[in-house]
Amino acid sequence: MWWPSPATDACWRAAVSEPRILVLGGTTEASEFARRLSDAGIAVVLSLAGRTARPVVPTVDVRVGGFGGIAGLERYLQEAGVTAVIDATHPFAARMAANAAAAATAAAVPRLKLLRPGWSAREGDRWTAWPTPTALAAALPAGARIFLAMGRQDLASFAGRSDCRFLLRTVDPLPAEILPAGATAILGRGPFTLEDEEDLLRRHEIDLVVSRNAGGTGAAAKLTAARRLGLPVWLVERPAPPPGPLAATVDEAFAWARKLMS
């Protein structure tokens, strides 16, 4: 695996003229899609934001770090000779999705959003949907013991709820200053089994599971565990994606890319 420096990356890609696809990653689907492209002989660059210290990625060219906003991404697309952009970032990465759409339009590069479906309630679920983390945090019952399965960028919304007890699980350690008051943080990398999640919820005597409606299978076991234990689940609704073509699965995105490259 090659992890180029920004300077080396810019120089190397400026000299490359073959068509290539830029995959904006950070999700399981992004890595699977990049691997599919590489196995099919299609040049691909997988871009990661760099928030995870030890990301699990396929053996493809990987670019780590931001682009410098819309203008920086547009410049990269042009200099690197990018043929198409596949935005496979997290469903809640709204700013990156908007930047990708704007930059691809400005550079006249086709763009596809690979967006896995959100979770849907099943019989026995006790779900409540919330429009924003802030609205959800304000409504939390005082004294509740909460499994807070949220992104680190959303933790500030819960900072003022010192009357609750939060359990967080992250891949990398979080700075103490960004944790909500009274929070317990543990480390863990998914996917987690149903038995793991049930044990976690029981052991910490959780009253309420709070999460974003990220969809996918890797983090869904906690929802099944909550259903089996009769626990309520509060979910933050996902933001709407930018206008443009969508693919719900890696297979759909791969078919779109193959048609574009043919």
Side-chain angles (χ1 to χ4, degrees):
M1 185 180 301
W2 177 47
W3 299 78
S5 68
T8 302
D9 179 65
C11 294
W12 182 81
R13 301 207 184 284
V16 175
S17 58
E18 65 173 315
R20 66 189 57 251
I21 290 180
L22 174 66
V23 179
L24 302 175
T27 61
T28 302
E29 292 82 6
S31 295
E32 180 183 347
F33 179 66
R35 184 183 298 110
R36 286 276 298 274
L37 291 175
S38 180
D39 290 346
I42 299 173
V44 56
V45 177
L46 176 61
S47 174
L48 302 176
R51 294 192 180 96
T52 302
R54 300 183 307 278
V56 178
V57 296
T59 307
V60 299
D61 286 345
V62 175
R63 182 190 187 281
V64 180
F67 292 93
I70 296 171
L73 179 53
E74 178 189 357
R75 183 168 57 253
Y76 178 88
L77 297 179
Q78 294 169 337
E79 293 177 352
V82 171
T83 305
V85 175
I86 307 297
D87 175 11
T89 54
H90 193 275
F92 281 80
R95 178 176 295 181
M96 187 64 231
N99 286 356
T105 298
V109 173
R111 176 194 60 89
L112 175 74
K113 176 64 178 174
L114 173 52
L115 183 65
R116 62 193 181 217
W119 293 314
S120 298
R122 296 172 52 182
E123 183 178 354
D125 283 327
R126 299 170 57 195
W127 289 11
T128 303
W130 295 89
T132 65
T134 302
L136 186 155
L140 290 173
R145 294 181 295 272
I146 299 163
F147 180 32
L148 188 59
M150 302 285 285
R152 62 183 293 167
Q153 66 272 23
D154 297 317
L155 296 183
S157 298
F158 300 87
R161 295 307 309 265
S162 58
D163 56 338
C164 297
R165 291 295 175 263
F166 297 103
L167 173 68
L168 292 86
R169 181 176 58 200
T170 61
V171 175
D172 300 313
L174 294 177
E177 59 269 20
I178 75 170
L179 295 176
T184 298
I186 60 176
L187 298 179
R189 185 189 292 269
F192 301 98
T193 67
L194 176 58
E195 291 72 21
D196 290 336
E197 300 296 62
E198 281 196 41
D199 177 69
L200 181 76
L201 298 179
R202 281 198 179 100
R203 185 158 30 92
H204 292 272
E205 301 180 317
I206 296 299
D207 301 315
L208 171 65
V209 175
V210 169
S211 179
R212 300 178 295 183
N213 191 345
T217 59
K222 63 178 177 287
L223 305 178
T224 305
R227 182 190 313 125
R228 289 177 57 164
L229 296 176
L231 297 178
V233 175
W234 288 10
L235 292 172
V236 178
E237 297 175 324
R238 56 171 58 182
L246 290 172
T249 66
V250 170
D251 285 343
E252 291 178 12
F254 186 71
W256 182 90
R258 288 297 297 264
K259 182 177 181 180
L260 185 70
M261 300 292 285
S262 63

